[in-house]
Structure formats: C-alpha cells, structure tokens
Amino acid sequence: MRVLAVASEVFPLVKTGGLADVAGALPAALAREGIAVTTLLPGYPAVMAALAGGEAALAIPDLFGGPARLLRAAHAGLDLLVLDAPHLFARPGGPYAGPDGRDWGDNPLRFAAFAAAGARAARDMAFDAVHAHDWQAGLLPAYLAAAGSGPRTLFTVHNLAFQGQFPAALFPALGLPPAFLATEGAEYHGGVGYLKAGLWFAARLSTVSPGYAAEITTPEGGMGLDGLLRGRAAVLEGIANGLDTAEWDPAADHRLPARFDARRLGRRAANRAALRARFALAEAEAPLIGFVGRLSWQKGVDLLLAALPVDAQLALLGSGEPGLEQAANALAAANPGRVGVVLGYDEALARLVYAGCDLFAMPSRFEPCGLGQLCALRYGAPPVVSFAGGLADTVVNANDAALAMEAGTGFCCAPGSAPLLGAALRRAGALWRDAPAWAALQRRGMGQDLSWARPARRYAATLRALA
Ligand code: ADP
Ligand code: GLC
C-alpha cells in the first residue's frame, strides 16, 4: 500500500515543533507495517539546499501565480516529494514567518497551493490513501472532493488552536467550487477555515492522543469546532504520538557530554554539570528543573515562572511571545545562579536539558500530545505535567498509591494553576531527595515503551480502511 503524507514540516529537514517529529518518524514505523509512505513538503530554502536537486516528477506550469514542480528525493530514510515553487517558498525566514517573526501575508495562498499540489500528486501518482496534517494541508481533501476522484484522506489535527482562518474575500483565488464556501464545507465564521475544511472533507479524522480526542469534542476544548467534531465522532480517533527512539537515545546521543542508560544513571551528573555551566547556574544541592518549548500561553510558562520553588533551580530554553521572553529574562536577572534562560531554538541544547535536568516541567494549559515529556521520560528526567490531553495519557502520576505499587513515572497537577503546579514541583523535589526512590522513578520512565510501534499499528489499520 502506498500513502502520500502531506506535512508543512518534517524532521530533520525543517522543524518548529512536534509536527516535524511526527512527520519525520512515522514513515519508518509504517514501513514496518507494510505501508510505503512518500512525504510531500514545501521546498523551503533549507529543504532545497539539503536535497541539492532531485528528479522532477510532475510539472505544474501555473500554481497560484508561478511555475512549480514536484521533485522526488530521498533524505534520512524518507521518500520525499518536494514542492519546488520559488514564488511561494524561496524566501528567508521560517516556514510560516519572515526573519522579523511576522507571518507571511500570502500564507493562505502558499498553503492552498501546497494542498492543491498534494491533491494533484495523490491523483496523478495513484496513491492508495492520503495522510494530511494540520491546517497547512487542510484544503487537500477539499481539492480532492472538487476533482471528484482520487484517494481518500486521513486528516490529523496536531493542535486545534492553529486553524488557518482567512477572510472570505480570498476564496475565489483558491479555485474551489463556489458551493464549497458553505457551513457544510470550508466556510467557518464567515471566512475560509483551512482546518475546518480538513475536518469537513476528510474521510477519517485523528488527533494525537485519546485524551485530546475527547477534549476537542467538548465546548471547553473544542475551540469552536466541537459541534462539527461531535458530529464526526464516529470517524475520529485519538492516537498518542510515539518517539523516534533511535533518534532520541541517551545511550547513543553523540550531542551529549555523557551518554547513559537506565543502568548507568550516575553518568547523568556530567550532563547536569554541563547544563549548569551553559545556563550559568551555581553548583547546588537543589533539584534542577528543565523546560524546553514554545513560550506561549498554551505551554503554561507563566505558571512555571510564578511557581518555581525557592529551593529549586531552573534552566529554560525556548522562544515565543515577547511578554513571556521578558518575564523569563526578568526572573533570571533577579535570581542569578538559580534561574538560567536561553532564548532561541537549539536542537543540541534541548538534548542537554533533557539529559541533564532532574525534573522536566511541562505545565501546559492544554496539550494535544506533547513530545517534550516523552523525550524527558526517555532521558531520565521525570516530568511534572498538567492533567491535559496527551500529557495525562503518557505520564503516570507518582502519588502515594502509585509509589506503593512501584508505579508512577512523573508528577501531575490540574492545569492552569500556579499554586497547584508549585505543590507538584515541591512533591517532586521531596522525592528527588530520596535517591533510591528517585532512581526507581527514573528507570520506570526510561523503561516505558515510547516507540512508534504501537501507534503505527493503529495508523496502519486506519489507512488500510481508506484504501
Ligand atoms: P509543540 O509541537 O506544541 O511545540 P511538542 O512537545 O509536541 O510541542 O514538540 C516540541 C518539539 O520541539 C520537541 O521535540 C522539543 O524538543 C522541540 N523544541 C521546542 N522548543 C525548542 C527549542 N527552543 N529548542 C530546541 N528544540 C525545541
Ligand atoms: C502540536 C501539539 C503537540 C503535539 C505535536 C505533534 O504541535 O501542540 O502537543 O505533540 O503537535 O503531534
């Protein structure tokens, strides 16, 4: 069976978050299930440079105002189709924003073109099914529906907060039938909703954890789309993400000062020392809390800054909302040697945080799945998380009852509350001082099956049902 996956970012070529990790790792896991995945992604400069050419597979003489080609290429075990459309993607900056951090004004056209090219490839290259990800690929099943033939689509939502919502005035430029701008179609709140279109037109829907699948069908978690999602509940499923356990392996990670595994936890001390040095933290008998992620309201960074226990240290890596960046810097300035902040995106440094911190904080207000806590579990840093979406699905709260049964892999608290987060961090800090109990907790997390094997079986069954 041949599946066309369509994602706007794919690790290791281009990544701003967990979507890239998923799109980069799922193909190899699906190959083990007998499914051959080809992944379509935009030809951003970094992608074109890494691939250095590629064989032209399909020419599209006019794709939304310029010539485009689909290039076939292979990279890091991935079978790729790259949308080479210089008028849309050959520009500096990130996948969605310019160097100034502002979203490209023509994003609606860039990702309509991406979806339209995906639909072309799906039909012309006779794929058996399509796996489209997030709003950037949301119009794809609409283009297939407009064509009236072609494979069926599984549409996976990684985050309902990013909806690709644009003014209705744009609609005529998209080349979709006028009748599609309707409640029973791509129309959403008087505009065009790319995510909405995917949720409406795709044959099957999924999201990235069972908990989030349940949350998004409620008014509290549905971000306005819960009614539609309740109506389609019969074709919606939640499949928790796995982790590429070869890519994320503390025993083989050459970017770490010291490699380790569950039997050699003592070696983590060298990573912690390097982490302290990198974040200008003092040597101290204090639990070192790590944070890696987008600095956004979703991630609850403000709660962490407010709740940091006085006897703990913090190493924070991330970038995002200016107000949160300033708040993090201010806390570091007020607590030299105790709070360290690095603003930016740094793959190697993220690994040092996972491998060197004692506790990993991820107090998200909502979290579709989360990969940070999976990386932390794998790297021996018990996570402190909120009971939300995929965090609640992947971390077992080490309360007294769980510990008595030698269960528990981290610490959980209700989302959205700094006092409750503070209590969870103090509870974790107390257990950290009990070295044997702590090592047992670390080993349980490291021993969990976090791989893609199980989720890939679920995706394979769903994709097979489409063909
Ligand atoms: P989201 O996709 O919502 O941002 P996830 O937890 O699913 O959150 O995935 C985030 C991924 O991006 C993880 O692999 C994490 O290690 C990585 N990441 C996030 N912020 C940074 C950063 N500042 N530097 C390096 N890696 C980061
Ligand atoms: C999104 C979500 C995150 C999830 C990731 C990959 O970015 O915010 O929770 O882990 O997608 O599915």
Side-chain angles (χ1 to χ4, degrees):
M1 179 177 181
R2 291 170 62 239
V3 170
L4 177 67
V6 182
S8 59
E9 44 185 276
V10 180
F11 183 84
L13 286 162
V14 50
K15 166 169 164 178
T16 71
L19 167 62
D21 292 307
V22 174
L26 191 48
L30 282 173
R32 287 190 276 276
E33 298 296 318
I35 294 184
V37 178
T38 299
T39 306
L40 173 69
L41 82 165
Y44 312 114
V47 173
M48 299 304 285
L51 300 181
E55 170 204 340
L58 189 75
I60 307 176
D62 181 11
L63 181 69
F64 291 83
R69 300 179 304 167
L70 291 181
L71 302 176
R72 204 173 246 299
H75 186 77
L78 295 163
D79 181 38
L80 299 172
L81 277 177
V82 177
L83 176 57
D84 177 24
H87 61 299
L88 300 171
F89 298 115
R91 43 180 95 169
Y96 320 118
D100 61 358
R102 299 206 347 232
D103 281 357
W104 299 110
D106 60 350
N107 275 349
L109 288 183
R110 296 171 80 222
F111 292 103
F114 180 54
R120 260 298 288 280
R123 296 175 69 226
D124 290 15
M125 298 176 166
F127 284 95
D128 300 308
V130 176
H131 188 184
H133 297 270
D134 273 353
W135 75 264
Q136 294 88 348
L139 290 182
L140 194 154
Y143 284 112
L144 283 175
S149 69
R152 299 198 296 161
T153 303
L154 164 65
F155 183 55
T156 297
V157 180
H158 294 263
N159 195 336
L160 210 61
F162 300 107
Q163 300 195 344
Q165 177 70 9
F166 305 109
L170 171 85
F171 189 76
L174 302 182
L176 285 167
F180 278 23
L181 189 62
T183 311
E184 305 200 329
E187 188 272 342
Y188 187 56
H189 286 295
V192 196
Y194 286 22
L195 189 84
K196 155 78 194 301
L199 296 176
W200 178 264
F201 286 103
R204 298 281 298 250
L205 306 176
S206 76
T207 187
V208 289
S209 70
Y212 195 59
E215 283 173 19
I216 59 178
T217 55
T218 66
E220 296 75 27
M223 300 196 167
L225 289 160
D226 49 293
L228 168 57
L229 288 162
R230 275 195 301 281
R232 302 213 66 199
V235 296
L236 167 67
E237 66 186 319
I239 306 176
N241 290 332
L243 193 66
D244 183 335
T245 46
E247 180 63 40
W248 293 93
D249 180 359
D253 192 330
H254 288 278
R255 279 172 277 203
L256 299 182
R259 288 178 284 285
F260 61 97
D261 57 32
R263 286 187 315 278
R264 290 170 297 174
L265 283 171
R267 293 191 177 192
R268 283 184 99 256
N271 294 322
R272 186 172 54 187
L275 180 59
R276 283 205 166 108
R278 185 70 176 71
F279 280 78
L281 298 173
E283 273 304 318
E285 262 307 299
L288 172 50
I289 299 170
F291 176 94
V292 176
R294 291 183 286 114
L295 303 186
S296 75
W297 183 83
Q298 174 192 343
K299 301 290 177 185
V301 201
D302 53 321
L303 305 172
L304 176 59
L305 298 178
L308 185 69
V310 284
D311 59 353
Q313 295 183 324
L314 175 66
L316 180 145
L317 167 65
S319 64
E321 290 168 19
L324 291 171
E325 293 191 347
Q326 281 156 22
N329 274 337
L331 193 69
N335 294 275
R338 188 168 86 84
V339 175
V341 169
V342 174
L343 297 180
Y345 189 93
D346 186 331
E347 188 74 36
L349 190 53
R351 288 162 187 269
L352 183 62
V353 176
Y354 294 124
C357 71
D358 296 307
L359 289 169
F360 184 76
M362 199 155 164
S364 308
R365 289 185 166 87
F366 69 94
E367 194 62 72
C369 181
L371 289 168
Q373 85 281 14
L374 301 183
C375 301
L377 285 166
R378 178 102 171 123
Y379 279 53
V384 180
V385 304
S386 45
F387 276 116
L391 296 174
D393 287 334
T394 54
V395 178
V396 182
N397 191 21
N399 56 22
D400 289 344
L403 288 173
M405 290 174 7
E406 298 187 2
T409 57
F411 304 85
C412 306
C413 61
S417 158
L420 292 179
L421 173 61
L425 289 169
R426 286 192 296 277
R427 189 156 61 85
L431 196 69
W432 175 79
R433 291 188 162 80
D434 178 346
W438 192 255
L441 182 75
Q442 288 176 293
R443 289 201 184 96
R444 276 196 295 275
M446 297 177 82
Q448 237 174 291
D449 177 9
L450 301 171
S451 80
W452 271 104
R454 247 182 311 177
R457 280 199 288 280
R458 298 263 317 264
Y459 276 111
T462 301
L463 290 166
R464 284 215 174 83
L466 289 178

